[in-house]
Amino acid sequence: MPSPFIELQVGERTVKVTNPDKVYFPEIGATKRELVEYYVSVGEGALRALRDRPTHLKRHPDGVGSEAIYQKRMPAKHPEWLETVTVTFPSGRTADALRVTEVASIAYCANLGTIDFHPWQVRAADVEHPDELRIDIDPQPGLGFDTARRTAFLAREVLEEAGMTGFVKTSGNRGVHVAVRIEPRWDFVEVRHAGIALARAIEERAPDLVTTAWWKEERGDRVFIDFNQNARDRTIASAYSVRAKPSGSVSAPLTWEELADAEPADFDIRTMPERFVRVGDVHEAIDERAFSIEPLLEWYAKDDRGDMPYPPNYPKMPGEPKRVQPSKARDE
């Protein structure tokens, strides 16, 4: 028998939602239909975060309890109005990734079981020069959200010192993300260097709280700032992205004032639509100004520690230190 379906009008498009009553988030009983309708309800904000960016999809076609499908390439068969953009991976291979141009694109992918949307730091017009610098604040196991909150406020101080403004959001888990619009004048290597300099400056303000140690064995009970999220083909969940958690939690854009007492559990696919109606997109101004990363690159150039390890899927990069965890290096 054919699968049950409904049709939603999303802008000028009609989006088909199959198996709309399938439970996707068991902790709250939320269905696939609610997931798609959530993305439509916050569409203006979600589109602002994703517009024209190559975007990877994290799909769970049978709900968050099912195994994830990480999709970097859009299938050849898709609606004519759904756009793609070609990206180059660290290996040199290329792929046609989703290019989000309208809310219907998001709704269509949600019907495919996409829970999380993971955009690149670039736009389709120039996929070699990022226009976003990212600070990924990741408390290590056993640490609570308050450690991420404190680290985020330190990041804000450092950004202000560099003459930059960051926009903060919950990660949808225990962490915090800060996004900074930058001028698309520098390549991935340079933007990653700027991210390293920024992370080190935050670490220097509170070394007992914050670490930039790439190797987990060196991090201890501290908050890790993942500087490698600024590298090519490294992505984080977008603003308004739902996370694959039974609770239906969401990566929620906040004002800095709200961060002071926010709790990640306050933001899910049922609470965010009402919030969006009430306060709108609190990141509405994010595209109004793009900043230079020259101050951060100057900090990096003055630091004799140089570069840090890349992720394991990268080829050996120029200037990169030995990519061996310290305990194994000592045993050699």
Side-chain angles (χ1 to χ4, degrees):
M1 293 181 61
S3 299
F5 70 90
I6 60 171
E7 292 183 330
L8 300 178
Q9 194 65 31
V10 186
E12 299 178 355
R13 316 294 184 191
T14 300
V15 176
K16 185 177 181 179
V17 181
T18 57
N19 297 309
D21 296 327
K22 180 182 289 187
V23 174
Y24 264 36
F25 304 94
E27 188 173 303
I28 60 174
T31 63
K32 181 180 181 182
R33 175 177 183 165
E34 288 182 79
L35 172 68
V36 179
E37 290 180 335
Y38 161 77
Y39 276 117
V40 175
S41 71
V42 298
E44 178 188 349
L47 182 60
R48 180 172 288 110
L50 293 169
R51 187 188 297 275
D52 286 329
R53 298 192 183 280
T55 300
H56 298 330
L57 310 177
K58 184 168 175 279
R59 297 173 52 211
H60 294 260
D62 291 316
V64 300
S66 62
E67 186 173 352
I69 300 171
Y70 293 89
Q71 186 166 324
K72 296 187 176 185
R73 295 169 170 82
M74 282 304 293
K77 184 179 179 181
H78 57 71
E80 290 184 1
W81 51 265
L82 197 72
E83 298 189 35
T84 62
V85 56
T86 302
V87 293
T88 302
F89 300 127
S91 64
R93 296 193 303 270
T94 61
D96 291 334
L98 171 68
R99 174 186 179 182
V100 177
T101 58
E102 55 185 299
V103 177
S105 306
I106 304 172
Y108 174 85
C109 292
N111 177 60
L112 298 179
T114 302
I115 306 291
D116 310 46
F117 289 83
H118 288 255
W120 282 45
Q121 319 92 309
V122 298
R123 309 270 188 173
D126 184 354
V127 295
E128 294 299 320
H129 296 90
D131 76 332
E132 184 169 273
L133 177 69
R134 294 170 173 175
I135 309 173
D136 181 10
I137 299 170
D138 180 20
Q140 295 304 282
L143 299 180
F145 182 73
D146 189 59
T147 60
R149 185 197 335 266
R150 289 157 55 198
T151 303
F153 280 115
L154 291 174
R156 185 189 191 191
E157 292 177 6
V158 174
L159 286 171
E160 289 176 347
E161 182 180 323
M164 309 170 83
T165 299
F167 288 76
V168 68
K169 66 185 183 72
T170 66
S171 70
N173 195 356
R174 294 180 300 113
V176 172
H177 299 153
V178 181
V180 182
R181 287 290 185 267
I182 60 174
E183 299 167 358
R185 295 164 44 199
W186 297 273
D187 62 21
F188 285 99
V189 172
E190 292 168 311
V191 172
R192 178 177 168 277
H193 287 169
I196 290 173
L198 182 59
R200 284 171 170 166
I202 300 167
E203 179 182 37
E204 288 169 1
R205 295 196 176 207
D208 292 334
L209 172 66
V210 181
T211 181
T212 59
W214 176 246
W215 303 108
K216 291 183 179 180
E217 64 185 36
E218 295 186 321
R219 293 177 190 170
D221 295 328
R222 291 179 290 176
V223 177
F224 174 53
I225 299 181
D226 190 353
F227 52 87
N228 270 327
Q229 293 294 14
N230 291 292
R232 179 189 295 273
D233 191 34
R234 298 286 286 189
T235 62
I236 59 176
S238 66
Y240 297 99
S241 183
V242 184
R243 306 310 305 269
K245 303 289 182 184
S247 62
S249 60
V250 169
S251 181
L254 302 173
T255 65
W256 285 102
E257 291 72 23
E258 289 177 315
L259 179 63
D261 58 4
E263 293 297 334
D266 295 338
F267 309 104
D268 61 38
I269 64 170
R270 288 179 171 164
T271 62
M272 283 295 287
E274 183 278 329
R275 169 181 164 82
F276 197 84
V277 170
R278 180 166 44 85
V279 303
D281 181 14
V282 297
H283 284 188
E284 183 177 7
I286 192 170
D287 292 315
E288 290 182 0
R289 183 180 177 187
F291 296 91
S292 169
I293 62 171
E294 287 178 353
L296 301 180
L297 292 176
E298 290 175 3
W299 295 357
Y300 181 84
K302 293 176 182 177
D303 192 329
D304 58 12
R305 288 173 289 183
D307 208 343
M308 300 181 77
Y310 274 79
N313 63 313
Y314 274 68
K316 181 68 175 178
M317 300 295 287
E320 181 187 3
K322 193 174 183 180
R323 200 183 298 175
V324 179
Q325 65 189 68
S327 59
K328 290 185 178 180
R330 287 192 295 268
D331 294 337
E332 293 179 357

